[in-house]
């Protein structure tokens, strides 16, 4: 039995296209789009009431493990710079994660994403005291909520050779699990923290692993000036040269942030055709600066870097921050970042995401946004950035099934999950507090 969405303002973002019409969904895919799509006896017909229908949104870079950090006690002392933010907050949180809290973080993060119309997450996971099988726990949680995931484990040399080997092995294990078996719901990338916590040998192993599976490396690059400074000090070379020499500049790679690359480095990143993940709220929160987005010639996608999965708000912040920086972007540039998130995830999952067209995945957001001013293909970005928000997300179809229906989660027991998280989160915070400083 399929679903027919009638009387909808179909709002595509890649490219922006708006028209009143109808969609026929069956077998997890969009079957037909038209003024009045076909239907078969037994199909569920939904009158969208002339409200906007969007493709499921994609979070291009996130850390689901931070979902239980909401409201946690402050760090032992206020961090004074980016490295201290990592040392005093995030590297304590990731060390305190165990299997239970990894899975619960992912469940809560997935529920929050669903309620914002985000149906696919490109995640970057770290849990140095519980590495093996951690990506399976995240996958199970996402599957329970009905979402898609492109997952990787954050390889680092912070915890010595054993920690590095376990991180690489978890990436290999997960890539092998999905290699040659396209289920279109989950896929892997090769995860790496950042140049400043990775040895040369490790960079080689990461790239070798990516080559073995025909995929790319998902790594933080020049998020803060410390990445470049460390590279010049410890390796006597520019960061871009180190990454290039290690062969990380490949089209399949995902570089998160790229906040502090000079024009020559930006040209080389652009030439590689890799995807850059821009995370404006995280960059502001960590006071690390602003990436010169207009200079890049490669795809830039939008991520939240662990601050939930509300892509409406992230897009608004991307827009306002670009204005504040006089970056010269247009609203359509910001919409294109959402399109690029969907394109990168589509490539990894071997399915078309982010489009309301036949054969694309039936990941669809039904809103109750009825525009008060004319909405057209040319001003969709204006409506998206100025008026629309997660409060308009009424129902979500994920993989052809109702995941959220009239604001009620259909795929799992949301109330029980959120109440169970109340037990798991304080225990996680206690373990974190008990860790030695530094
Ligand atoms: Zn990140």
């Amino acid at each position: 039995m399929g679903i027919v969405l009638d009387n909808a303002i179909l709002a595509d973002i890649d490219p922006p296209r708006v028209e009143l019409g109808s969609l026929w969904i069956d077998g997890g895919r969009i079957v037909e789009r038209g003024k009045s799509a076909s239907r078969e006896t037994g199909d569920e017909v939904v009158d969208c009431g002339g409200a906007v229908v969007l493709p499921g949104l994609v979070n291009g870079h996130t850390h689901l493990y931070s979902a239980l950090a909401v409201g946690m006690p402050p760090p032992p002392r206020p961090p004074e710079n980016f490295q201290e933010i990592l040392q005093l907050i995030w590297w304590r949180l990731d060390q305190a994660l165990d299997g239970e809290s990894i899975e619960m973080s992912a469940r809560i993060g997935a529920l929050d994403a669903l309620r914002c119309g985000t149906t696919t997450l490109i995640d970057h996971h770290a849990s140095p005291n519980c590495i093996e099988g951690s990506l399976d726990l995240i996958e199970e949680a996402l599957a329970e909520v009905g979402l898609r995931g492109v997952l990787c484990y954050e390889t680092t040399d912070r915890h010595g050779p054993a920690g590095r080997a376990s991180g690489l092995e978890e990436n290999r294990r997960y890539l092998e699990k999905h290699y040659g078996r396209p289920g279109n719901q989950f896929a892997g990338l090769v995860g790496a923290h950042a140049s400043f916590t990775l040895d040369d040998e490790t960079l080689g192993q990461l790239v070798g692993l990516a080559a073995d599976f025909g995929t790319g490396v998902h790594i933080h690059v020049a998020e803060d000036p410390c990445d470049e400074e460390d590279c010049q000090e410890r390796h006597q070379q520019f960061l871009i040269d180190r990454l290039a020499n290690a062969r990380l500049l490949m089209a399949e790679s995902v570089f998160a942030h790229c906040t502090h690359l000079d024009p020559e480095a930006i040209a080389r990143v652009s030439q590689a055709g890799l995807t850059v993940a821009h995370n404006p709220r995280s960059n502001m929160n960590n006071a690390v600066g602003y990436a010169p987005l207009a200079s890049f010639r490669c795809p830039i996608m939008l991520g939240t870097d662990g601050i939930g999965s509300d892509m409406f708000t992230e897009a608004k912040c991307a827009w306002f921050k670009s204005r504040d920086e006089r970056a010269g972007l247009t609203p359509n540039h910001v919409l294109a970042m959402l399109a690029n998130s969907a394109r990168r995830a589509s490539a990894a999952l071997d399915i078309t995401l982010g489009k309301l067209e036949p054969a694309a995945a039936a990941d669809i957001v039904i809103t109750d946004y009825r525009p008060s001013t004319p909405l057209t293909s040319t001003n969709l970005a204006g409506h998206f950035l100025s008026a629309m928000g997660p409060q308009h997300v009424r129902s979500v179809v994920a993989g052809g099934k109702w995941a959220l229906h009239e604001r009620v989660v259909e795929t799992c027991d949301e109330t029980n999950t959120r109440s169970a998280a109340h037990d798991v989160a304080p225990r996680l915070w206690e373990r974190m507090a008990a860790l030695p400083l530094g």
Side-chain angles (χ1 to χ4, degrees):
M1 193 179 97
I3 301 172
V4 178
L5 304 177
D6 266 344
N7 189 23
I9 298 180
L10 302 173
D12 255 308
I13 54 173
D14 187 17
R17 179 166 63 131
V18 174
E19 63 181 9
L20 191 67
S22 138
L23 292 177
W24 182 25
I25 300 159
D26 203 7
R29 304 283 178 123
I30 295 170
V31 180
E32 196 182 310
R33 168 185 172 133
K35 284 264 173 276
S36 176
S38 310
R39 60 211 62 200
E40 286 176 351
T41 314
D43 283 347
E44 181 181 359
V45 179
V46 177
D47 183 345
C48 296
V52 166
V53 165
L54 293 162
L57 300 172
V58 178
N59 188 348
H61 174 78
T62 192
H63 303 277
L64 279 164
Y65 70 77
S66 68
L68 298 184
V70 173
M72 73 183 176
R77 62 180 169 80
E80 287 181 8
N81 54 43
F82 175 68
Q83 278 168 304
E84 286 198 355
I85 290 171
L86 296 178
Q87 285 157 6
L88 296 173
I89 301 174
W90 303 113
W91 289 353
R92 293 167 68 77
L93 176 69
D94 70 16
Q95 282 188 71
L97 286 164
D98 59 6
E100 183 186 49
S101 46
I102 293 167
E103 190 172 6
M104 186 57 79
S105 297
R107 279 187 190 174
I108 296 299
L111 283 168
D112 291 345
L114 174 61
R115 287 200 165 276
C116 296
T118 300
T119 50
T120 301
L121 299 103
I122 302 180
D123 190 67
H124 198 277
H125 175 69
S127 52
N129 291 314
C130 182
I131 298 178
E132 192 185 345
S134 56
L135 298 182
D136 287 348
L137 296 173
I138 296 170
E139 180 182 306
E140 278 165 31
L142 288 172
E144 197 179 284
V145 177
L147 307 187
R148 298 179 206 269
V150 179
L151 311 183
C152 69
Y153 187 84
E154 181 178 289
T155 307
T156 177
D157 284 294
R158 276 198 288 137
H159 306 286
R164 166 180 68 180
S166 301
L168 285 163
E169 182 50 33
E170 179 61 3
N171 281 298
R172 174 179 293 282
R173 189 192 64 74
Y174 193 73
L175 285 161
E176 255 166 15
K177 177 177 168 181
H178 291 287
Y179 193 63
R181 300 181 196 92
N184 311 119
Q185 191 174 3
F186 295 101
L189 285 171
V190 176
H193 176 241
S195 167
F196 68 95
T197 74
L198 291 162
D199 295 342
D200 287 341
E201 194 187 338
T202 317
L203 288 180
Q205 288 173 317
L206 288 162
V207 172
L209 190 51
D212 287 350
F213 292 93
T215 188
V217 177
H218 184 179
I219 182 170
H220 299 95
V221 174
E223 180 173 0
D224 178 90
C226 73
D227 207 8
E228 181 74 58
E229 285 159 15
D230 168 87
C231 195
Q232 293 186 25
E233 207 175 291
R234 284 201 306 142
H235 306 284
Q236 290 77 50
Q237 55 187 331
F238 293 113
L239 176 61
I240 194 69
D241 288 330
R242 183 167 193 240
L243 297 173
N245 292 342
R247 305 192 185 284
L248 263 86
L249 295 188
M250 53 179 158
E252 295 81 8
S253 285
V254 173
F255 281 11
H257 303 292
C258 294
T259 323
H260 295 278
L261 294 180
D262 65 19
E264 194 207 314
I266 290 171
R268 290 168 72 184
V269 163
S270 298
Q271 200 184 0
L274 55 81
T275 305
V276 169
H278 176 50
N279 308 273
R281 285 189 295 176
S282 165
N283 292 163
M284 287 189 273
N285 186 43
N286 292 333
V288 292
Y290 183 69
L293 300 176
S295 306
F296 288 85
R297 294 289 171 270
C298 55
I300 295 173
M301 63 179 169
L302 196 62
T304 63
D305 205 18
I307 306 177
S309 279
D310 172 1
M311 305 316 292
F312 292 95
T313 304
E314 198 69 44
K316 279 184 182 68
C317 289
W319 171 242
F320 291 136
K321 184 63 187 170
S322 79
R323 299 291 297 160
D324 190 43
E325 292 282 336
R326 302 177 191 274
L329 302 190
T330 64
N332 273 338
H333 280 122
V334 179
L335 215 52
M337 290 182 206
L338 286 170
N340 286 329
S341 296
R343 285 183 183 197
R344 187 62 191 84
S346 297
L349 294 166
D350 196 20
I351 192 169
T352 303
L353 303 172
K355 289 177 188 271
L356 299 174
E357 63 182 31
D363 292 0
I364 296 164
V365 181
I366 298 147
T367 75
D368 58 11
Y369 180 69
R370 291 180 185 82
S372 307
T373 58
L375 169 61
T376 65
S377 303
T378 45
N379 73 4
L380 171 62
H383 279 263
F384 195 90
L385 297 176
S386 303
M388 297 182 70
Q391 72 274 21
H392 295 115
V393 175
R394 193 176 121 196
S395 299
V396 175
V397 174
K401 299 188 185 114
W402 293 109
L404 185 76
H405 193 246
E406 299 296 349
R407 296 192 164 83
V408 175
V409 175
E410 293 281 315
T411 40
C412 65
D413 187 333
E414 184 183 25
T415 309
N416 270 351
T417 303
R418 290 198 189 273
S419 109
H422 275 259
D423 291 330
V424 178
R427 290 204 295 274
L428 172 65
W429 300 348
E430 277 163 30
R431 287 196 300 279
M432 216 179 140
L435 287 167
L437 265 183

